[in-house]
Amino acid sequence: MHHIRLQKLLTFLENEPTDPFLKYALATEYMSQNDLEKALFYYDDLMTQHPDYVGTYYHAGKLYERLEKKPEAILIYQKGMQIARKAGDNHAFSELQAVYNSAVGLDYEDD
């Protein structure tokens, strides 16, 4: 099933090579298959070619953290918060702020 979905997404991307949603869908699909290198390729492409695509930053940052690249993840979260604020996307902003706070050690959990 994953293979069929992946093939369809790659075919769609051939026809619409600049569509940020398709790149995001591919990154997500590669993450679900645990192909971190290909997921990283699409997240990095999104952040470079489509920097205003707010949804990228949370997942890209989480992937960088998973790859033990926390300083890069923190920068991604910061950039994502700027983009979300500029877009007026308060939900994305609060999610990014939460993972940013966690990454920098500012967890405020109630005991």
Side-chain angles (χ1 to χ4, degrees), residues 65-109:
E65 281 195 77
R66 188 170 168 188
L67 295 171
E68 298 182 9
K69 296 181 176 185
K70 192 176 274 194
E72 292 92 332
I74 289 168
L75 292 173
I76 290 167
Y77 296 143
Q78 289 174 325
K79 176 77 172 171
M81 286 187 289
Q82 292 171 353
I83 299 292
R85 180 165 277 153
K86 189 172 96 178
D89 189 336
N90 294 330
H91 179 74
F93 180 86
S94 65
E95 286 185 335
L96 285 159
Q97 189 170 41
V99 290
Y100 169 81
N101 287 346
S102 176
V104 297
L106 295 175
D107 287 336
Y108 300 112
E109 305 237 352

Side-chain angles (χ1 to χ4, degrees), residues 2-12 14 26:
H2 285 294
H3 180 71
I4 294 168
R5 189 167 47 228
L6 183 59
Q7 265 323 118
K8 284 183 180 178
L9 288 169
L10 289 168
T11 300
F12 291 149
E14 280 180 29
L26 277 163

Side-chain angles (χ1 to χ4, degrees), residues 27-44:
T28 303
E29 187 63 30
Y30 282 122
M31 281 297 293
S32 74
Q33 295 182 18
N34 213 30
D35 189 336
L36 305 184
E37 190 175 315
K38 287 184 181 167
L40 186 64
F41 170 82
Y42 285 103
Y43 286 134
D44 284 345

Side-chain angles (χ1 to χ4, degrees), residues 12-69:
F12 291 149
L13 188 65
E14 280 180 29
N15 296 325
E16 307 242 6
T18 61
D19 186 323
F21 176 76
L22 290 173
K23 293 176 183 182
Y24 180 80
L26 277 163
T28 303
E29 187 63 30
Y30 282 122
M31 281 297 293
S32 74
Q33 295 182 18
N34 213 30
D35 189 336
L36 305 184
E37 190 175 315
K38 287 184 181 167
L40 186 64
F41 170 82
Y42 285 103
Y43 286 134
D44 284 345
D45 179 79
L46 280 162
M47 289 186 291
T48 302
Q49 301 298 321
H50 309 279
D52 292 337
Y53 200 78
V54 176
T56 304
Y57 295 91
Y58 178 93
H59 298 286
K62 289 302 244 181
L63 177 54
Y64 272 87
E65 281 195 77
R66 188 170 168 188
L67 295 171
E68 298 182 9
K69 296 181 176 185

